[in-house]
Amino acid sequence: MLRMTNIKVNIEHNIDDVLFQIKKFLNLKDIEKYRITGRAIDARNKNAIKYVYSIDFEAPKHIYDNVEEYKNLQVVEEYVYPQKYVNDYKGLRPVVIGTGPAGMFAGLILAIAGLRPIILERGKAVKERVDDVYNFFNNGTLNEESNVQYGEGGAGTFSDGKLTTNTHNIRIKKVIEELIDSGANKEIEYISKPHLGTDELIKIVENIRKKVIKLGGEYLFETKFIDFEEENNILKSILVENLKTKEKYTIETDNAILAIGHSARDTFEMLYNNKLDISKKPFSVGVRIEHKQEMINKSQYGKYFDKLPPAEYKLHVRNENSRGVYTFCMCPGGVVVPSSSEKNRLVVNGMSYSKRDLENANSALLVNVMPEDLGEHVLSGMYFQRELEEKAFIMGGSNYKAPVQLVVDFINNRKSTRIGNVKPSYSIGYTLSNMNELFPDFISQALRDGLPKFDNKLKGFASKDAIITGVESRSSSPIRINRDDDLNSSVKGLIPSGEGAGYAGGIMSAAVDGIRCAEQVIENILNLKGE
């Protein structure tokens, strides 16, 4: 097929308007076979906002023969995922530890290959998990094994479900195909900033599990990975605990994918105590910032603010005398959610439903923490996160209410005494605070320096009504479980994967890494069989 890019049309349009431009440009009478492969909004000129399309289509042979003569036109090759199958496999079943995006897609690929994976999840199946999560949202009652961080689907299930990524890995197409096959809107194939929404993700995650089980996979929920056995640095088995019955038992395996997520702190400690090769890595901490979604729309779209989907933003600044600040996981029309997984420690995150139609917009506002900022211990980043979460818990009132502050008060280093017209969306409640007292000075100073600069980029960002809620401490993992060229950790067969292991930064990159690790397990088994 051919692909034409940068096709611009007015806000009010239909697909015929897009196809008309192709036909006019190439002097074609008709286009019968086509598909949309890209759709974005160009809002750089707020007086003439346009939709921008990419279209794949079939054309006469003379167009293909002279494609280099045409602007914004190229020949595209179809990508087919190179699925491999293991015939009549009777060996030890591979294990996947965790059901976030990495574990979910690793398990799916292994199941498609005929390997009947065993998939462990310390939390609950997604529908049961929803009850525990909303009980915490509504009543402040935390289940330490079933919450926003732990349970089927991982932390991404209770987020905006963003599928944006900086990677261009060929496996992305496989992820998108499987998500659509499991119920996602087909638009995620081509919109520029695809998202799923928590309400849709719950159904999609369940459908992926059903497919894995149909293919011979097995799920063990409320089952925790607590240890492993190796011989000569080769994996022999893993030890698990049924959290309902407290029964501990061994699963023999020589391939286990560690897709444990960025909040599995007790597992980090177990792996460290077992002398697995782990290193510190940069991570980020900060706050959630909230505005009226209508204000964001007006700032981004001008007079077209009510004619386009909820506006997003992605901002970063570099300060002269302190480190950079950036926004992350912006949730249009969403809420700030309680995201703790440990008692007496307070964590917040952002979440949107598929329609993104709630009153507020929110985003993480983060500062990088470097390994040299902390102590020598490999887990010093994890301990630093815990310390902030404990301070935030106390600052909020020791009852999972969150500390909240007006942005202008934070910049001026004074405790807030009121809230403006942006009402905190954090459901458990809030306590007016001074969050300069929560962070070490290098973080507070960077945020104070960065906020006015953000306001220059997006008018109203540091307005008198904008609020911040703390603490956002789980944006990424503070460690990396090191792996070799064959993706093994320092114990062969124990394969770190995804965000918690330090190899991803979001749903899409984690899913891609999970597929890559599953492919390696398939290669290991095929080589063992001599196929």
Side-chain angles (χ1 to χ4, degrees):
M1 296 186 89
L2 295 175
R3 176 171 298 166
M4 181 170 282
T5 60
N6 201 35
I7 307 167
K8 294 186 177 182
V9 293
N10 293 328
I11 289 174
E12 295 182 0
H13 69 279
N14 58 43
I15 190 62
D16 289 337
D17 299 320
V18 181
L19 297 178
F20 175 79
Q21 291 204 34
I22 300 175
K23 290 186 288 186
K24 182 180 178 181
F25 184 76
L26 296 175
N27 194 26
L28 298 175
K29 289 184 178 181
D30 201 9
I31 296 175
E32 293 183 0
K33 188 177 180 181
Y34 70 89
R35 70 179 178 214
I36 303 170
T37 53
R39 188 183 72 195
I41 296 171
D42 182 353
R44 289 173 294 180
N45 181 353
K46 292 182 175 54
N47 292 317
I49 294 177
K50 300 286 186 180
Y51 272 95
V52 183
Y53 280 82
S54 295
I55 301 288
D56 286 5
F57 61 99
E58 294 287 3
K61 185 177 182 299
H62 74 273
I63 304 291
Y64 284 90
D65 292 341
N66 299 285
V67 67
E68 66 278 357
E69 297 179 10
Y70 296 97
K71 182 181 177 183
N72 301 331
L73 196 64
Q74 64 189 82
V75 178
V76 292
E77 298 293 334
E78 284 292 309
Y79 168 72
V80 178
Y81 178 72
Q83 183 63 55
K84 293 186 177 181
Y85 297 88
V86 182
N87 299 312
D88 302 319
Y89 181 64
K90 299 291 192 297
L92 295 174
R93 295 166 71 183
V95 175
V96 178
I97 302 166
T99 61
M104 185 163 54
F105 276 88
L108 177 60
I109 297 305
L110 292 173
I112 292 171
L115 291 174
R116 302 179 300 110
I118 299 170
I119 300 160
L120 308 181
E121 172 54 59
R122 67 189 294 171
K124 296 180 182 179
V126 68
K127 283 189 175 177
E128 295 172 305
R129 178 189 182 198
V130 167
D131 294 337
D132 293 325
V133 167
Y134 281 97
N135 190 33
F136 184 45
F137 286 2
N138 297 328
N139 306 312
T141 304
L142 175 65
N143 183 330
E144 289 187 272
E145 296 293 350
S146 180
N147 45 61
V148 167
Q149 309 295 347
Y150 297 152
E152 186 180 20
T157 304
F158 294 91
S159 69
D160 190 52
K162 287 180 181 60
L163 302 179
T164 49
T165 177
N166 291 327
T167 180
H168 298 286
N169 193 289
I170 57 175
R171 298 172 182 86
I172 288 173
K173 191 171 189 297
K174 179 63 173 174
V175 176
I176 294 293
E177 287 174 354
E178 292 292 345
L179 290 171
I180 291 172
D181 186 57
S182 296
N185 191 313
K186 193 171 173 56
E187 282 190 349
I188 66 171
E189 270 192 314
Y190 57 80
I191 56 177
S192 65
K193 297 176 182 177
H195 81 286
L196 299 168
T198 290
D199 47 336
E200 295 300 317
L201 263 168
I202 290 167
K203 295 179 285 187
I204 291 165
V205 165
E206 185 176 37
N207 286 336
I208 289 175
R209 185 210 326 149
K210 289 177 179 177
K211 181 172 181 177
V212 171
I213 292 172
K214 187 176 181 179
L215 291 167
E218 178 183 2
Y219 279 74
L220 300 177
F221 290 108
E222 297 180 80
T223 302
K224 184 178 177 181
F225 167 55
I226 58 173
D227 208 347
F228 65 90
E229 181 184 10
E230 52 86 14
E231 185 177 311
N232 298 322
N233 290 325
I234 299 173
L235 181 66
K236 295 298 180 185
S237 65
I238 62 170
L239 180 66
V240 302
E241 179 182 5
N242 183 310
L243 297 178
K244 290 187 289 187
T245 65
K246 303 304 178 185
E247 176 193 5
K248 297 178 182 178
Y249 58 95
T250 295
I251 300 174
E252 289 187 37
T253 185
D254 47 11
N255 285 284
I257 294 176
L258 274 173
I260 52 180
H262 59 40
S263 294
R265 292 168 170 173
D266 48 2
T267 308
F268 291 169
E269 290 175 320
M270 179 271 287
L271 297 173
Y272 171 78
N273 290 334
N274 277 325
K275 297 181 170 46
L276 209 68
D277 184 17
I278 299 173
S279 59
K280 297 190 290 183
K281 63 176 278 292
F283 61 100
S284 301
V285 299
V287 295
R288 279 270 151 186
I289 186 165
E290 285 192 272
H291 308 87
K292 294 277 193 183
Q293 181 64 49
E294 185 175 303
M295 185 279 288
I296 300 296
N297 292 347
K298 288 179 177 178
S299 183
Q300 295 289 71
Y301 296 149
K303 64 184 180 181
Y304 298 105
F305 77 94
D306 59 348
K307 292 180 171 60
L308 291 164
E312 302 178 54
Y313 59 78
K314 185 177 182 180
L315 306 170
H316 61 89
V317 296
R318 175 64 60 179
N319 300 313
E320 291 181 8
N321 299 317
S322 64
R323 63 194 71 200
V325 185
Y326 66 99
T327 63
F328 176 75
C329 187
M330 190 266 168
C331 296
V335 291
V336 176
V337 295
S339 300
S340 300
S341 60
E342 298 173 322
K343 274 191 165 57
N344 302 331
R345 295 185 176 120
L346 180 69
V347 183
V348 300
N349 195 10
M351 182 178 88
S352 292
Y353 297 103
S354 56
K355 291 185 179 179
R356 292 176 160 182
D357 58 356
L358 300 182
E359 186 175 13
N360 287 0
N362 74 78
S363 175
L365 186 64
L366 301 174
V367 179
N368 280 329
V369 179
M370 307 305 292
E372 55 267 28
D373 294 322
L374 307 171
E376 292 298 317
H377 198 287
V378 168
L379 301 181
S380 58
M382 185 186 83
Y383 299 141
F384 177 75
Q385 290 174 324
R386 276 181 166 165
E387 181 183 349
L388 289 180
E389 293 163 14
E390 288 165 2
K391 289 173 71 175
F393 180 75
I394 294 169
M395 186 176 282
S398 299
N399 51 11
Y400 296 106
K401 291 184 177 180
V404 166
Q405 188 175 14
L406 287 170
V407 166
V408 291
D409 289 336
F410 180 79
I411 291 171
N412 289 290
N413 197 5
R414 65 190 179 214
K415 180 180 178 180
S416 289
T417 57
R418 65 169 187 87
I419 290 295
N421 69 7
V422 179
K423 306 302 179 187
S425 61
Y426 182 89
S427 59
I428 297 174
Y430 63 90
T431 301
L432 294 173
S433 307
N434 182 0
M435 273 187 277
N436 286 279
E437 299 170 1
L438 172 62
F439 297 108
D441 187 62
F442 76 89
I443 293 175
S444 294
Q445 188 64 54
L447 291 170
R448 288 196 303 267
D449 291 348
L451 279 161
K453 295 177 181 177
F454 281 134
D455 198 74
N456 292 333
K457 291 176 175 250
L458 197 160
K459 186 178 179 182
F461 194 87
S463 65
K464 62 182 179 63
D465 293 309
I467 58 171
I468 54 174
T469 305
V471 58
E472 169 90 36
S473 54
R474 307 278 184 94
S475 63
S476 59
S477 179
I479 67 160
R480 176 170 287 114
I481 305 172
N482 296 315
R483 63 192 189 189
D484 62 18
D485 291 343
D486 293 325
L487 307 186
N488 293 296
S489 68
S490 51
V491 172
K492 184 179 180 181
L494 198 57
I495 299 174
S497 181
E499 195 165 324
Y503 295 97
I507 290 173
M508 184 58 76
S509 59
V512 163
D513 195 63
I515 292 176
R516 185 181 175 213
C517 291
E519 291 169 350
Q520 183 62 56
V521 170
I522 295 167
E523 284 297 320
N524 294 347
I525 291 171
L526 287 173
N527 290 337
L528 189 66
K529 290 188 68 181
E531 293 186 10

